[in-house]
Amino acid sequence: MNQSISLPIPMPLGSLDHYIQAVRAFPVLSAEEEHELASRLKQHNDVEAAKSLVLSHLRLVVSIARGYSGYGLPQADLIQEGNLGLMKAVKRFDPDRGVRLVSFAVHWIKAEIHEFILRNWRLVKIATTKAQRKLFFNLRSMTTHSGSLHPEEVQEIARELNVKPEEVLEMESRFSGHDISMESHGEEDGEETYSPIAYLEDHHPEPSEELAEREMEILHTVGLRNALESLDERSRRIVEARWLREDNTATLHELAAEYGVSAERIRQIEQKAMQKMKLLMAPA
């Protein structure tokens, strides 16, 4: 998707109910259809393919945006921001990774909605670092009562979210302030609204973290395979039997009986092979 090309994606600028009905009318893609469209986009920059991928996932954005209604922001704005995240996800989606677009897109959609909330919700002026943002989106769900936090609770939350106790108290005081009502005032546009105390908790990593973890997993997998291939057949067999089985891990005595040597000899071969593999897998 080139930036110069504008996709005719419907935005919730009119009746929200009509918009929701419209996005539900777009068909859900099968895995094969999704892979074909994503491949056309990746290989040929096919804008029509990108449009089909986006339209088929607009209902996902609506579903996610509903969970953030407790911040007092218009639902239409949350959906529009989520749609931007969806388009970013479609642009970056790799169909050859074996992951469905719905799993990949959810992180980008939430990231855009989070940024919009942080820019527009008046109570959140201190949520500037990653840790403070995590505190903002998780504090209420970690509080088991409606009163003030006890000192032990402050310490526990600060430790778990990697922030200072003072930051926990400051955020708690902002939630307890009167800049915005903490209670729901009924329904808006025919839909039920929720107070900020009931916001949706999100434990998913940010998109950049997700991609970094996947790349690191690939590197580790390739490095392990290369390190194993560097071993002689017996050493590789011992390492695999001792460390790479999910169950039925072989003992030193079992391998000793298999090769007709002592258990101590098997231990020595294992130790030497592991040292060699660690050197090969060490970062350059």
Side-chain angles (χ1 to χ4, degrees):
M1 283 184 293
N2 294 331
Q3 293 182 350
S4 60
I5 299 177
S6 177
L7 292 177
I9 306 301
M11 289 296 181
L13 301 178
S15 168
L16 190 58
D17 288 337
H18 289 165
Y19 173 80
I20 293 174
Q21 291 178 3
V23 300
R24 286 176 177 172
F26 295 116
V28 176
L29 299 174
S30 66
E32 293 75 15
E33 292 171 331
E34 179 180 292
H35 188 275
E36 179 185 356
L37 290 168
S39 297
R40 281 165 46 190
L41 173 60
K42 181 181 178 182
Q43 297 170 11
H44 307 293
N45 199 32
D46 189 327
V47 177
E48 286 301 315
K51 176 183 174 182
S52 297
L53 289 170
V54 171
L55 291 177
S56 66
H57 288 79
L58 289 177
R59 68 184 69 199
L60 171 65
V61 177
V62 172
S63 176
I64 293 175
R66 286 181 183 273
Y68 294 89
S69 59
Y71 295 103
L73 298 172
Q75 191 75 183
D77 290 348
L78 295 172
I79 292 174
Q80 187 162 338
E81 293 298 319
N83 286 347
L84 295 177
L86 172 60
M87 286 187 279
K88 289 182 179 181
V90 168
K91 183 177 180 180
R92 293 164 173 80
F93 181 60
D94 185 351
D96 298 322
R97 295 231 174 181
V99 178
R100 291 297 300 269
L101 177 57
V102 65
S103 300
F104 180 77
V106 66
H107 304 298
W108 291 93
I109 294 168
K110 288 185 176 181
E112 289 297 320
I113 293 177
H114 285 187
E115 288 295 329
F116 176 74
I117 292 173
L118 292 172
R119 289 196 308 267
N120 291 276
W121 210 43
R122 290 178 297 170
L123 296 185
V124 191
K125 296 299 184 182
I126 65 170
T128 55
T129 68
K130 180 180 176 182
Q132 289 169 340
R133 293 182 181 191
K134 187 175 182 181
L135 171 62
F136 170 60
F137 283 107
N138 289 276
L139 177 59
R140 279 301 180 185
S141 63
M142 297 177 68
T143 305
T144 58
H145 53 81
S146 59
S148 300
L149 292 173
H150 301 303
E152 296 80 6
E153 293 177 305
V154 172
Q155 293 293 335
E156 182 179 354
I157 293 173
R159 182 171 56 256
E160 184 171 344
L161 298 180
N162 193 29
V163 296
K164 298 177 180 179
E166 294 80 8
E167 292 175 324
V168 176
L169 292 172
E170 174 66 16
M171 188 66 75
E172 173 65 13
S173 67
R174 289 176 181 271
F175 273 117
S176 302
H178 301 285
D179 291 334
I180 186 172
S181 174
M182 294 296 290
E183 300 296 333
S184 173
H185 293 292
E187 296 185 354
E188 179 179 347
D189 295 332
E191 294 194 0
E192 184 180 2
T193 59
Y194 300 89
S195 61
I197 198 172
Y199 67 83
L200 179 66
E201 180 181 5
D202 181 24
H203 291 295
H204 289 90
E206 295 181 358
S208 58
E209 292 178 324
E210 184 80 7
L211 291 175
E213 289 178 2
R214 289 182 181 177
E215 293 298 332
M216 187 61 66
E217 182 179 352
I218 292 174
L219 289 175
H220 284 171
T221 301
V222 174
L224 176 60
R225 183 174 64 248
N226 292 339
L228 282 171
E229 291 176 352
S230 71
L231 302 176
D232 60 81
E233 183 177 350
R234 183 173 64 172
S235 298
R236 182 166 59 252
R237 159 83 175 115
I238 291 173
V239 170
E240 290 176 343
R242 292 278 292 158
W243 296 96
L244 300 181
R245 290 180 179 175
E246 293 185 1
D247 51 11
N248 297 325
T249 301
T251 66
L252 294 175
H253 291 285
E254 289 172 342
L255 291 169
E258 179 180 336
Y259 286 101
V261 296
S262 66
E264 175 60 21
R265 178 55 182 156
I266 294 296
R267 188 194 67 78
Q268 293 173 355
I269 295 173
E270 175 189 10
Q271 185 178 30
K272 184 177 180 180
M274 295 294 288
Q275 289 175 345
K276 182 178 181 180
M277 290 177 64
K278 286 180 181 180
L279 289 175
L280 292 174
M281 295 178 66

